[in-house]
């Protein structure tokens, strides 16, 4: 992407603070296949359509560009109806596990974004290590089986794969149930019991679960982390992906929709929220992760006058190298990005080529 395409892409990914004048100047020439592809690749097509509608600029782009976004937006709306049904189904399946799990990420975000802007392919739940078996039994009793969806078909996991995933990745092999809903043939539930790529942080998980709240699904509820804990988990999850070499190699380390999640929530933080969030993150031992996630996001989707970004810079002082460090857990090696510009890193077609190995 050239510089102008990048600027347009980033404006289209700002659902609440876009610059209409910049977009109006860029759209006629740069609303092209490259920008459209990046929007779809980063799961931002629904946001982009909403931005163009809000800015009253939808008529300024080629009809194939606007038509593709409109179709994706409409599909998102229908997909989220199916997703909400899946959340209700999961709530019922885990009725007897109250207080022992909390739904993460998309379960809450799909309801907080403007209509049609955010979708989720699965439901992530957080549980303590001691409750994994109980949760698994409840899901199995409801008809879920462990495995993966490959080429539209269920591929069951072996016993060895189930044990390896739990021991090495801090999560279980996904639980799958065929539900046959529009745009969601299968419901996938990912059970997480760690905040990072290691099998640990059990105390942090227990404390987050203890402070969970109920999210209204219309007719039933599902537990989710408290507002600030929810944000902290998003930051910790992004940090895990951006600083682990396997994720960089898979190009799953810098998906724009994950930055947009943090951007949306930061915009709703007042000064007291930001202060409380960082204090809570320090209490949970996750302050550095939150600082990095907020600053990475601010580099791509800046929030003017953000107290969270200001605090992140203050609290990360002297540790800024964390913003540019990647680790290979299995090899026990450490790398750094030689290019410190986060936007340049985001748009690079090969981020592994930007890394240099350093002594651990």
């Amino acid at each position: 992407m050239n510089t102008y395409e990048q600027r347009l892409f980033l404006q289209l990914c700002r659902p609440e603070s876009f610059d209409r004048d910049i977009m109006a100047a860029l759209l006629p020439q740069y609303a092209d296949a490259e920008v459209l592809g990046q929007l779809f690749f980063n799961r931002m097509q629904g946001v982009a359509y909403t931005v163009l509608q809000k800015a009253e600029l939808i008529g300024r782009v080629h009809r194939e560009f606007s038509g593709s976004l409109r179709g994706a937006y409409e599909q998102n709306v229908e997909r989220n109806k199916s997703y909400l049904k899946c959340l209700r189904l999961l709530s019922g399946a885990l009725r007897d596990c109250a207080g022992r799990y909390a739904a993460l990420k998309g379960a809450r975000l799909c309801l907080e974004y403007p209509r049609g802007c955010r979708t989720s392919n699965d439901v992530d739940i957080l549980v303590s290590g001691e409750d994994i078996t109980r949760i698994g039994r409840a899901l199995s009793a409801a008809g879920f089986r462990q495995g993966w969806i490959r080429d539209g078909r269920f591929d069951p996991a072996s016993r060895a794969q189930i044990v390896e995933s739990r021991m090495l990745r801090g999560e279980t092999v996904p639980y799958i149930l065929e539900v046959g809903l529009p745009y969601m043939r299968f419901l996938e539930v990912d059970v997480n019991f760690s905040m990072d790529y290691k099998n640990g942080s059990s105390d942090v998980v227990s404390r987050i679960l203890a402070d969970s709240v109920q999210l209204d699904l219309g007719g039933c509820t599902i537990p989710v982390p408290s507002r600030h804990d929810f944000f902290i988990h998003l930051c910790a999850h992004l940090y895990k992906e951006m600083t682990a070499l396997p994720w960089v190699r898979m190009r799953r380390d810098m998906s724009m929709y994950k930055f947009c999640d943090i951007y949306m929530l930061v915009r709703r933080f007042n000064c007291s929220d930001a202060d409380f969030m960082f204090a809570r993150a320090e209490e949970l031992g996750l302050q550095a992760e939150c600082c990095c996630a907020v600053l990475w996001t601010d580099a791509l989707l800046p929030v003017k006058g953000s107290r969270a970004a200001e605090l992140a810079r203050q609290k990360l002082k002297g540790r800024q190298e964390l913003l540019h460090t990647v680790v290979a857990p299995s090899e026990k090696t450490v790398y750094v990005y030689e290019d410190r510009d986060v936007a340049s890193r985001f748009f690079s077609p090969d981020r592994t080529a930007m890394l240099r190995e350093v002594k651990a």
Side-chain angles (χ1 to χ4, degrees), residues 6-20 22-23 39 44-55 113-114 117 256-257 259-261 263-264 266-267 296-306:
Q6 292 175 12
R7 289 181 67 192
L8 177 58
F9 171 82
L10 291 173
Q11 285 295 323
L12 290 169
C13 293
R14 300 171 63 87
E16 295 184 346
S17 61
F18 53 83
D19 188 313
R20 186 184 187 280
I22 290 177
M23 285 197 299
L39 290 170
M44 296 301 294
Q45 60 270 40
V47 168
Y49 181 74
T50 300
V51 166
L52 289 173
Q53 289 284 72
K54 283 184 178 180
Y113 267 80
C117 284
M256 179 54 72
Y257 76 95
F259 295 107
C260 193
D261 291 343
Y263 154 88
M264 288 283 288
V266 164
R267 277 184 53 80
W296 287 325
T297 300
D298 189 59
L300 295 169
L301 304 172
V303 177
K304 187 177 180 180
S306 167

Side-chain angles (χ1 to χ4, degrees), residues 41-292:
F41 186 79
N42 285 276
R43 290 171 56 182
M44 296 301 294
Q45 60 270 40
V47 168
Y49 181 74
T50 300
V51 166
L52 289 173
Q53 289 284 72
K54 283 184 178 180
E56 299 182 342
L57 291 171
I58 198 75
R60 300 278 189 97
V61 299
H62 191 282
R63 68 177 186 178
E64 297 302 330
F65 191 98
S66 61
S68 297
L69 294 181
R70 182 184 300 109
Y73 168 83
E74 292 170 351
Q75 184 182 105
N76 284 358
V77 171
E78 294 305 311
R79 185 182 184 87
N80 278 352
K81 291 177 183 177
S82 294
Y83 188 73
L84 183 57
K85 290 179 181 179
C86 287
L87 289 178
R88 291 170 179 153
L89 185 156
L90 180 63
S91 175
L94 298 179
R95 186 180 297 110
D96 295 332
C97 299
R100 299 179 183 275
Y101 78 99
L104 305 166
K105 299 188 293 185
R108 183 170 191 158
L109 290 165
C110 287
L111 300 178
E112 291 208 7
Y113 267 80
R115 184 172 179 261
C117 284
R118 178 64 156 84
T119 62
S120 185
N121 297 320
D122 52 30
V123 181
D124 287 88
I125 63 173
L126 185 67
V127 306
S128 64
E130 63 188 22
D131 286 322
I132 295 172
T133 299
R134 178 171 182 162
I135 294 290
R137 286 174 178 168
L139 292 172
S140 296
F144 287 83
R145 294 185 294 161
Q146 287 185 272
W148 300 270
I149 302 302
R150 290 171 175 152
D151 296 327
R153 294 178 294 181
F154 176 73
D155 182 13
S158 68
R159 179 62 184 168
Q161 289 171 320
I162 291 171
V163 172
E164 179 185 15
S165 181
R166 178 167 171 173
M167 294 298 294
L168 300 181
R169 299 210 307 264
E171 61 186 24
T172 65
V173 171
Y175 286 83
I176 309 289
L177 179 68
E178 186 165 0
V179 291
L181 293 169
Y183 302 108
M184 284 196 76
R185 180 183 169 189
F186 297 95
L187 167 58
E188 176 179 325
V189 177
D190 290 327
V191 180
N192 300 267
F193 57 95
S194 176
M195 297 291 285
D196 53 27
Y197 57 80
K198 300 178 288 292
N199 185 352
S201 62
S202 59
D203 180 60
V204 174
V205 171
S206 296
R207 292 164 78 178
I208 290 175
L209 293 177
D211 289 339
S212 63
V213 298
Q214 295 297 317
L215 179 67
D216 184 10
L217 300 177
C220 68
T221 61
I222 196 167
V224 295
S226 67
R227 182 179 175 219
H228 297 97
D229 284 356
F230 183 85
F231 181 82
I232 290 168
H233 176 268
L234 279 182
C235 290
H237 189 76
L238 179 62
Y239 183 87
K240 176 181 74 172
E241 294 180 348
M242 283 194 64
T243 61
L245 186 61
W247 288 86
V248 178
R249 285 173 173 160
M250 292 186 292
R251 296 191 66 195
R252 294 179 59 189
D253 55 321
M254 294 186 77
S255 297
M256 179 54 72
Y257 76 95
K258 296 184 179 181
F259 295 107
C260 193
D261 291 343
I262 293 172
Y263 154 88
M264 288 283 288
L265 296 178
V266 164
R267 277 184 53 80
R268 294 171 185 164
F269 277 179
N270 57 33
C271 290
S272 296
D273 285 323
D275 290 339
F276 182 89
M277 184 276 292
F278 275 110
R280 174 66 167 172
E282 183 176 19
E283 177 187 326
L284 297 174
L286 294 168
Q287 190 176 92
E289 289 85 341
C290 289
C291 289
C292 288

Side-chain angles (χ1 to χ4, degrees), residues 271 278 294-295 298 305-315:
C271 290
F278 275 110
V294 168
L295 293 177
D298 189 59
S306 167
R307 171 67 172 168
E310 176 190 345
L311 283 175
R313 290 188 184 93
Q314 292 175 11
K315 295 180 182 298

